[in-house]
Amino acid sequence: MTGTDGRLARGERTRNTVLDTAVALASEAGLDGLSLGQLADRLHVSKSGLFAHWSSKEELQLAAIEHARDQWARRVVGPALDRPRGIRRLFALHESRLAFYSERVLPGGCFFAIAEFESAGRAGTVPDRLAAVLAEWITLLERLVTEAVELGELPPDTVPRRLAFEIDAAGVAALLHSRLLARSLDDARQAVLARLRGLATDPDLLPHH
Amino acid sequence: MTGTDGRLARGERTRNTVLDTAVALASEAGLDGLSLGQLADRLHVSKSGLFAHWSSKEELQLAAIEHARDQWARRVVGPALDRPRGIRRLFALHESRLAFYSERVLPGGCFFAIAEFESAGRAGTVPDRLAAVLAEWITLLERLVTEAVELGELPPDTVPRRLAFEIDAAGVAALLHSRLLARSLDDARQAVLARLRGLATDPDLLPHH
DNA sequence: ATATAAAAAGAACGACCGGTCGCACACTTT
DNA sequence: AAAGTGTGCGACCGGTCGTTCTTTTTATAT
């Protein structure tokens, strides 16, 4: 009987554990600041043991990106997609993003934000992949805006790209200031809520406060 | 006759040159990522020569913060304060910030943004000083909003803290995405312009597009 | 039981990190 | 002229970085 090789299963489990910690550490120090020595120490593992699973730091970084993307899809995008299409789903996405920050799922707040800042202007496989994931996120926001327009919940002259930018901006700033300005997460929620209620053809689809 | 010690003058000149480059490098790699070796190489100077002016990397980091703050005050805040008080000055501040980014004054875009991300959640003299400078910036934005309200150019029920947050958020997101999304700077301008024109008692005080 | 292959440890590498030291030069003060 | 001070260099320190190589442990397959 084959199919469940305990060795492979153990490796898979190890990889997952390592990537969990790697994403958490990188959310604080960035993908560059992430050090294999510190990562190994945190996991009570030898540094060379990591090379049994990834052949270089860059490969581990790329794996961490995919891991963080999965986490984001599961914890932020997933719950929003449970809501009905349109303006409610759009706002729910913004709210679950803010919840991800306020629940401190990652100690640094957000893996992608610091990674994007860090790799701005640089070239390479890692920045390329990060750019692709970011484009995915912006496209998702734009698509939800477009759907709300098509459903008649937002006015037809809405510019999806700009509204998506505005909503994302609130999230980015909330994260950046969350350590310093206590109310930044609440400000980000209220700002987008007020903006969407101002635009919505039926504001009652959204919470009142 | 005293007052012009050639040695002191030379030192002052050197310090300024070093800090210019330090701020530029730190805008890309962050204050942590800033390496004394790379900084010295870029300036065609020996590493130990840097220690003739600052006793540790942390002191150089603190000096770089003050240098970047001066630069920001001169190139962003100063021009805006030439405009008449009120909503025009408020929007001018946003515009000169975006100009600072689009002119690529710093190769990384903004010294403070990456420094703030990097030092989020950490303790120490450097994060403390960065927090103080950020608070200064937010306070300035809030004050300009408040002035516009007092002049009757914005409605009396305006919440200065929230509007300041919204304007800052557009700037932060514009910077973060400027490397990837070509129109992010224009989006940030249009978003704030539309928002302020929507609120203003006299929209003609602001540009039309 | 034994062969096999994945997982992990351990030691060592060259490069770079922030930092220290002594020394030389330029300039001012006495 | 001598002493003192600001500036800057080159050599070097202990430590950490990513990486490589060899060896040992662990679990499956035969």
Side-chain angles (χ1 to χ4, degrees), chain A residues 161-179:
Chain A
R161 197 193 68 248
R162 188 130 78 225
L163 186 54
F165 174 85
E166 290 178 46
I167 296 173
D168 180 60
V172 169
L175 171 67
L176 180 58
H177 298 326
S178 62
R179 285 315 201 331

Side-chain angles (χ1 to χ4, degrees), chain A residues 161-162 165-166, chain B residues 170 183-192:
Chain A
R161 197 193 68 248
R162 188 130 78 225
F165 174 85
E166 290 178 46
Chain B
R183 319 179 66 160
S184 74
L185 287 167
D186 190 56
D187 282 345
R189 185 180 182 278
Q190 297 295 335
V192 170

Side-chain angles (χ1 to χ4, degrees), chain B residues 7 11 14 45-46 48 53:
Chain B
R7 296 170 303 178
T14 302
V45 156
S46 75
S48 53
H53 300 277

Side-chain angles (χ1 to χ4, degrees), chain B residues 25-181:
Chain B
L25 283 181
S27 79
E28 293 184 296
L31 273 173
D32 268 31
L34 175 66
S35 132
L36 298 184
Q38 287 174 11
L39 180 57
D41 282 356
R42 171 79 63 103
L43 291 158
H44 304 291
V45 156
S46 75
K47 208 169 47 162
S48 53
L50 298 176
F51 283 91
H53 300 277
W54 301 276
S55 60
S56 69
K57 183 183 182 180
E58 189 183 25
E59 283 208 13
L60 193 150
Q61 289 175 324
L62 291 169
I65 293 175
E66 302 312 313
H67 199 75
R69 183 181 168 280
D70 290 349
Q71 183 186 51
W72 188 259
R74 189 173 1 97
R75 309 209 35 157
V76 177
V77 179
L81 295 185
D82 292 339
R83 301 298 310 281
R85 208 183 298 265
I87 202 174
R88 285 168 294 186
R89 179 178 291 181
L90 177 62
F91 186 64
L93 182 63
H94 182 61
E95 277 196 304
S96 63
R97 173 195 198 162
L98 296 179
F100 185 88
Y101 296 157
S102 74
E103 288 166 11
R104 293 249 148 260
V105 179
L106 295 177
C110 183
F111 173 91
F112 290 104
I114 187 164
E116 190 187 349
F117 249 120
E118 187 177 40
S119 75
R122 273 188 266 182
T125 315
V126 168
D128 284 354
R129 185 64 192 126
L130 284 171
V133 175
L134 175 69
E136 228 182 322
W137 166 251
I138 298 291
T139 301
L140 171 65
L141 273 172
E142 288 185 19
R143 202 186 76 217
L144 295 202
V145 171
T146 302
E147 286 174 1
V149 172
E150 288 168 352
L151 288 170
E153 296 179 3
L154 286 175
D157 65 336
T158 304
V159 182
R161 195 193 72 246
R162 190 131 76 223
L163 186 53
F165 174 85
E166 290 179 45
I167 296 173
D168 181 61
V172 169
L175 170 68
L176 179 59
H177 298 327
S178 62
R179 285 317 200 333
L180 193 60
L181 308 175

